[in-house]
Amino acid sequence: MATRSQAGTRAAAALGAAVGAALGAVAARAAFAAFRRRPPIGDEKTADEYWTRVNHRGEPVTLLEGPAFAAGAVAASALAPGLPVRTRAAAVLAGAGSGVLGAYDDLFGSTSSKGFKGHLAALARGEVTSGAVKILGIGATGLAAAALAPRDGRGMVTRSLDTLVDGALIAGSANLANLFDLRPGRAIKVGLLAGAPLLAASVAAPYGPRSRQAAALTAVPLGAAAALLPEDLGERAMLGDAGANALGALLGLAATARLGRPGRIAALGVVAALTAASEKVSFTKVIAGNRVLNRLDMLGRRAPQTAPGTSGPRG
């Protein structure tokens, strides 16, 4: 039976999560509306050249969802109640750093090299691709965010090892989220599915201030992502590297706040395994070949395109 202090901790964590999610949602929608009126880069004549891309259907969509998510989640992290200064600074750095680097790749990236392996191979040849800049930059911001976050471990060696693991988890999560951003709503759905158990555990486990911090850190990006999901599913906008990288980095940071050392190492192993698998297999083909995953992937989306001369689904 839970003690009164445990019940109070859970209530505080739940309240912090609710406030964080609401702040994230409101800030993301406000940022999206503001960026649609005045994009971060480009004027009235050139904005479309910077921020419009062609999706898998061959239709134009805006990339402004990504900067809107990053800006909204960062602003909400800075305002969310109950976070220590160092934790707040770590969230701002992780979200803003990964978002800016992702936007750089969105706007100025080349397609000469693809994938984690491809960019590192190009770097080994002396070719600095935009993807390599993003990978190294997100690695550095992830490590810096991990170093800023409060530490429970004692001893310099232990703290240093924890910082390396946490930095790798933040950066790896940022990269992994981007690997799923290939179909409408997919990266956000993956983020919601990954973040929901983390949020539930943070609210339910009576671990004092760390639970409240982890709850708020998780709720902010989930609220921002959920608020922008209709635009993504409707194929009017997409996260791009800016939004997907920021989403993954913020959820990775939340995981470092909630999980113990064994859990963080296990999570890093999963992230590394999925990233390595992406170099060999297509996530899109795997999802399409599994009935449950495909149903989740298509939930809320427009029907697939049909071949010319065939009739689409009716009803």
Side-chain angles (χ1 to χ4, degrees), residues 5-239:
S5 62
Q6 290 173 342
T9 297
R10 289 173 179 167
L15 178 60
V19 173
L23 284 173
V26 170
R29 291 303 309 184
F32 187 65
F35 289 159
R36 291 301 299 266
R37 291 193 299 270
R38 184 166 184 172
I41 296 177
D43 54 28
E44 294 181 358
K45 296 181 179 179
T46 62
D48 285 345
E49 297 177 16
Y50 283 108
W51 297 104
T52 300
R53 294 293 182 273
V54 175
N55 68 4
H56 68 292
R57 294 180 188 270
E59 299 173 351
V61 295
T62 179
L63 282 170
L64 289 171
E65 179 188 342
F69 170 84
V74 166
S77 296
L79 297 173
L83 293 179
V85 173
R86 288 175 65 92
T87 302
R88 205 181 298 275
V92 169
L93 179 59
S98 56
V100 168
L101 288 160
Y104 163 74
D105 201 26
D106 280 334
L107 297 179
F108 308 110
S110 65
T111 58
S112 57
S113 298
K114 294 184 178 181
F116 194 86
K117 184 178 179 180
H119 291 301
L120 293 184
L123 189 62
R125 298 192 303 267
E127 178 186 351
V128 181
T129 65
S130 59
V133 171
K134 186 183 75 168
I135 289 170
L136 295 175
I138 288 179
T141 57
L143 192 62
L148 273 173
R151 284 278 151 240
D152 287 339
R154 296 180 179 178
M156 182 177 296
V157 174
T158 300
R159 289 198 300 270
S160 297
L161 290 175
D162 282 344
T163 297
L164 288 174
V165 170
D166 291 357
L169 180 55
I170 295 167
S173 299
N175 180 66
L176 181 60
N178 191 41
L179 296 178
F180 284 102
D181 190 38
L182 296 176
R183 290 295 184 272
R186 182 182 293 172
I188 292 179
K189 289 177 183 176
V190 170
L192 294 175
L193 288 172
L198 184 64
L199 179 59
S202 299
V203 171
Y207 291 155
R210 286 184 64 85
S211 289
R212 294 197 296 271
Q213 294 170 32
L217 285 173
T218 309
V220 165
L222 294 187
L228 295 172
L229 183 58
E231 304 293 337
D232 210 309
L233 290 174
E235 302 185 21
R236 297 181 292 274
M238 61 186 291
L239 282 177

